[in-house]
Amino acid sequence: MNLLIKNAHIIEEGTRKKVTIEIEHQCIKQITTENIEDLEDTVIIDAKNQLLIPGMVDVHIHGANNFDMMDGTTESIQVVSKKCAETGCTSFLVTSVSSSLESLLKMIRSTKEVIGKEEGAKIAGIHLEGPYLNVLKKGMQNEKYLRHPNFEEMDLIFKEAGDLIKMVTIAPELPGGIDLIHYLTKRNVVVAIAHSNATYEEATQAFEEGASHITHCFNAMPVIHHRAPGLVAAALENDGVSLQAIVDGVHLHPGIIRLMHKIKGPNKIVLTTDALQAMGVGDGDYVFGGHQVSVKEGIARLQDGTLASSTITMNRSLKLSSDFGIPLSDSIKMASTTPANILGLNSIGEIKEGYVADLVMLDDQFNVTQTIINGVVYS
């Protein structure tokens, strides 16, 4: 079924304008400021002057609605897929936490079963957050499962997952870390750094060898010091390195978000949720990554007070980014265009003729009023 969206507002080159969009065979056929008469065999959608943005892409999400995707079930992945769609995310990376090899392989198998049959947002691949992380910056990662790079293990993971692995977060300073970067980049994987105690020099070397992304920037890594600038300074200095930002009002001060934007611009910053299964549920007690996690006032923490992922959604993150002073056009790029580009998803992330019709309609409070995935209205 084809769609015709009328009275939609889009942001183009920083300017909001009213358009009509024709969607045919899953793709955007035409974008025009002219009126189009109603077409046969076409569903008409009146956007009522609401904002229409490209579907958002979450490169880092663990769970939602009481389901943790590391439980190894297809149900958990489908629940997250649906919650993503409800909150404006049309593509996501199924994201692991550090675990046993057996648990990781189980999650990969479940992902393979679901992909192509998603009930909501599309699976764009898998993000392995660990297990090759530094215990000194473990954050909420379970120390029991942290280990040094093991290439026999990686061979088994890739044998099971194939090209589904799109991003891997590592600590490059660990023994074998640089070799792991080479291993991953040869397989066209985005190598990200976090849960790392890397010095400025170690981080610089990692970037020279092929690492190109920072997971949840500023969190689970050394602070910037004027005599020991560390990983973050090396990343900010390197124009080729992109950064994840958890914009939830907790993980990053608004001033830091504005600084990241000022230095990197919207083409090198990615909004992400890093959400656990409390997303969409709220306060309470959970088990995540083998830890007891308490969520109070929407903030997830371990028993010792360590932050443990977030409960933010992509549409709320987009709103906060704008509230904190990032231009809306840039915030949209950070939520949609930039993550798609980093993952090499060249037909999504923008509202352009010929692109896949992954679109999200928002009211003036950034509530999602409609999600369209592959040209089909999600319900």
Side-chain angles (χ1 to χ4, degrees), residues 368-379:
V368 175
T369 60
Q370 201 142 74
T371 301
I372 297 170
I373 302 172
N374 287 340
V376 178
V377 177
Y378 172 78
S379 60

Side-chain angles (χ1 to χ4, degrees), residues 33-105:
T33 55
E34 304 295 324
N35 183 50
I36 298 178
E37 295 299 322
D38 293 358
L39 305 170
E40 290 186 9
D41 299 321
T42 299
V43 174
I44 310 300
I45 298 174
D46 184 359
K48 299 178 181 178
N49 298 316
Q50 292 183 104
L51 181 64
L52 191 72
I53 68 169
M56 293 180 279
V57 179
D58 195 350
V59 304
H60 188 171
I61 179 170
H62 299 283
N65 283 4
N66 269 327
F67 283 83
D68 175 0
M69 290 187 286
M70 282 301 293
D71 70 8
T73 67
T74 57
E75 182 184 12
S76 67
I77 296 170
Q78 291 286 21
V79 166
V80 172
S81 170
K82 289 186 282 188
K83 188 62 181 179
C84 283
E86 291 167 13
T87 54
C89 170
T90 56
S91 295
F92 68 104
L93 293 184
V94 176
T95 307
S96 68
V97 294
S98 298
S99 69
S100 67
L101 176 60
E102 180 184 1
S103 293
L104 180 57
L105 293 177

Side-chain angles (χ1 to χ4, degrees), residues 133-324:
L133 306 174
N134 194 324
V135 68
L136 296 176
K137 293 293 178 182
K138 63 184 178 180
M140 61 67 54
Q141 298 283 336
N142 194 324
E143 184 175 348
K144 175 181 177 182
Y145 298 113
L146 300 185
R147 47 202 187 264
H148 292 169
N150 180 324
F151 294 94
E152 289 183 5
E153 184 174 60
M154 286 305 298
D155 286 343
L156 290 172
I157 291 167
F158 274 88
K159 183 178 180 181
E160 187 64 60
D163 61 4
L164 277 180
I165 306 295
K166 301 299 183 186
M167 182 177 288
V168 178
T169 296
I170 69 167
E173 72 277 12
L174 295 179
I178 297 300
D179 289 337
L180 180 59
I181 293 173
H182 297 158
Y183 179 98
L184 294 169
T185 54
K186 285 178 182 177
R187 289 160 175 79
N188 298 313
V189 174
V190 176
V191 180
I193 301 176
H195 297 284
S196 165
N197 204 36
T199 64
Y200 174 88
E201 291 76 18
E202 288 169 332
T204 298
Q205 182 187 5
F207 299 140
E208 290 172 350
E209 300 295 340
S212 62
H213 191 68
I214 302 295
T215 292
H216 47 53
C217 191
F218 282 96
N219 289 273
M221 57 194 67
V223 298
I224 295 176
H225 187 280
H226 58 287
R227 287 191 294 274
L231 166 59
V232 174
L236 291 172
E237 183 182 49
N238 190 314
D239 292 341
V241 176
S242 54
L243 316 174
Q244 286 179 26
I246 305 174
V247 181
D248 62 352
V250 179
H251 282 79
L252 296 168
H253 187 280
I256 288 293
I257 295 164
R258 290 190 291 271
L259 178 65
M260 290 168 66
H261 175 263
K262 188 171 186 177
I263 294 172
K264 285 291 185 179
N267 296 327
K268 288 295 181 182
I269 301 177
V270 172
L271 298 186
T272 190
T273 64
D274 189 12
L276 77 164
Q277 66 263 42
M279 177 210 272
V281 184
D283 292 358
D285 295 323
Y286 303 85
V287 177
F288 177 55
H291 295 296
Q292 292 293 323
V293 175
S294 293
V295 178
K296 295 179 181 177
E297 298 180 352
I299 303 171
R301 296 186 185 274
L302 302 183
Q303 300 305 301
D304 65 3
T306 301
L307 286 173
S309 294
S310 86
T311 62
I312 197 74
T313 59
M314 287 298 287
N315 63 314
R316 294 294 109 198
S317 179
L318 181 67
K319 181 181 188 301
L320 284 175
S321 178
S322 181
D323 289 348
F324 291 161

